[in-house]
């Protein structure tokens, strides 16, 4: 274990030196990610300046809802960049290098790359949104709520990590899953930036049971905010973010292990 931690630390130092070799470029690229994502937030901000609320959610509550998305993704991408970009790793034959090394495959993929620009851009925006609105939405930040918030962040990271791991496993069968990932992850993530209750029932089912972004931000936000539209969902959903994340990640890991058996090198 000590040896693995030391190796993970060495991986991290090498990756950070690589990403931040050109400091001005690194700052500008991180800022570009921040500003790109902030454009969507500004659209919500200016819309609610005019209309006040969206299905009972005011501007600060909407921003709090989105802050959970950005904070979890900022943490996620530090560890799961290798799975986000795994299709390229398989197609180029670079996955063979991981197989030949005397270390676990997941360990190598997790620690061999990290998109620090996305981590800083998304995570920085999430933290900024949290600071901006957390004191204005009526949440009492007692010990129980703080622990719940932290566990929800962990669960949200695991849920999205499981999704990335599933798509990575599908690359063993399909080689290219970019379009499928775009539809089921990135497009569904856009829906998650708004209250679940405003959507058609089919979209709600997708966000709860198919690609469960509702457990990443909507139900955790509901636990803390207690909005009226929560009445249409079972109360138990408020407490399931971490369990859903753990179960999904274990299932995704099982699928990964099964899928490894069908891997055939694409050559180089």
């Amino acid at each position: 274990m000590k040896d693995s931690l030391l190796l993970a630390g060495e991986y991290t130092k090498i990756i950070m030196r690589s990403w931040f070799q050109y400091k001005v470029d690194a700052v500008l690229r991180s800022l570009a990610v921040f500003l790109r994502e902030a454009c969507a937030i500004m659209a919500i901000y200016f819309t609610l300046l005019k209309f006040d609320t969206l299905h009972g959610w005011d501007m600060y509550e909407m921003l709090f809802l989105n802050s959970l998305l950005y904070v979890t993704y900022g943490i996620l991408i530090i560890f799961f960049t290798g799975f986000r970009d795994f299709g390229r790793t398989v197609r180029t034959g670079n996955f063979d290098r991981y197989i030949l090394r005397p270390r676990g495959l997941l360990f190598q993929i997790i620690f061999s790359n990290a998109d620090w620009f996305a981590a800083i851009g998304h995570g920085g925006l999430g933290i900024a949104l949290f600071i901006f609105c957390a004191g204005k939405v009526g949440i009492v930040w007692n010990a129980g709520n703080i622990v719940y918030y932290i566990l929800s962040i962990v669960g949200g990271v695991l849920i999205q990590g499981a999704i990335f791991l599933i798509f990575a496993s599908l690359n063993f069968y399909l080689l290219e899953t970019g379009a499928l990932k775009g539809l089921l992850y990135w497009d569904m993530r856009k829906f998650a930036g708004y209250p679940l209750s405003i959507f058609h029932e089919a979209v709600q089912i997708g966000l709860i049971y198919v690609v469960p972004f509702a457990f990443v931000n909507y139900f955790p936000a509901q636990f803390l905010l207690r909005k009226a539209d929560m009445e249409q969902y079972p109360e138990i959903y408020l407490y399931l973010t971490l369990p859903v994340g753990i179960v999904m990640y274990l299932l995704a890991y099982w699928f990964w292990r099964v899928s490894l058996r069908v891997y055939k090198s694409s050559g180089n």
Side-chain angles (χ1 to χ4, degrees), residues 32-236:
V33 174
F34 181 97
L35 293 176
R36 181 193 68 198
E37 299 301 324
C39 288
I41 299 301
M42 294 302 293
I44 294 173
Y45 178 82
F46 287 118
T47 298
L48 290 176
L49 280 179
K50 183 175 181 63
F51 295 103
D52 295 330
T53 64
L54 179 64
H55 208 242
W57 290 67
D58 67 25
M59 177 179 63
Y60 296 110
E61 292 163 343
M62 286 283 294
L63 296 181
F64 182 77
L65 182 70
N66 278 272
S67 72
L68 287 161
L69 272 182
Y70 287 106
V71 168
T72 53
Y73 187 82
I75 298 171
L76 167 82
I77 207 60
I78 294 174
F79 300 101
F80 286 89
T81 298
F83 295 110
R84 184 195 65 184
D85 303 332
F86 191 69
R88 181 167 61 247
T89 302
V90 172
R91 291 193 303 275
T92 59
N94 285 332
F95 185 59
D96 296 352
R97 296 164 56 198
Y98 295 134
I99 293 175
L100 295 173
R101 292 171 180 169
R103 285 288 174 180
L105 291 174
L106 286 183
F107 177 89
Q108 294 184 69
I109 295 169
I110 287 172
F111 290 106
S112 65
N113 197 7
D115 188 345
W116 285 99
F117 300 148
I120 294 171
H122 285 257
L125 180 57
I127 292 170
L129 290 174
F130 177 83
I131 293 172
F132 178 69
C133 63
K136 301 177 181 179
V137 291
I139 299 173
V140 178
W141 289 104
N142 54 35
N145 284 341
I146 292 172
V147 170
Y148 177 89
Y149 181 84
I150 294 171
L151 294 179
S152 295
I153 294 296
V154 174
V157 171
L158 287 175
I159 289 170
Q160 295 175 83
I163 295 170
F164 275 12
L165 184 53
I166 289 169
F167 281 119
S169 303
L170 286 174
N171 278 285
F172 294 135
Y173 303 94
L174 306 175
L175 285 184
E176 176 55 67
T177 61
L180 187 62
K181 188 189 303 179
L183 175 65
L184 293 180
Y185 182 83
W186 298 111
D187 289 346
M188 295 297 279
R189 185 173 181 264
K190 293 176 183 176
F191 286 115
Y194 297 87
L196 182 66
S197 57
I198 71 172
F199 296 115
H200 185 275
E201 183 179 356
V203 177
Q204 295 185 41
I205 291 172
L207 288 171
I208 296 175
Y209 303 111
V210 181
V211 187
F213 271 110
F215 292 99
V216 175
N217 67 334
Y218 180 74
F219 292 125
Q222 281 286 14
F223 177 90
L224 297 167
L225 300 175
R226 301 292 175 162
K227 302 298 294 178
D229 57 331
M230 183 61 204
E231 294 178 358
Q232 64 191 85
Y233 307 107
E235 186 176 358
I236 188 64

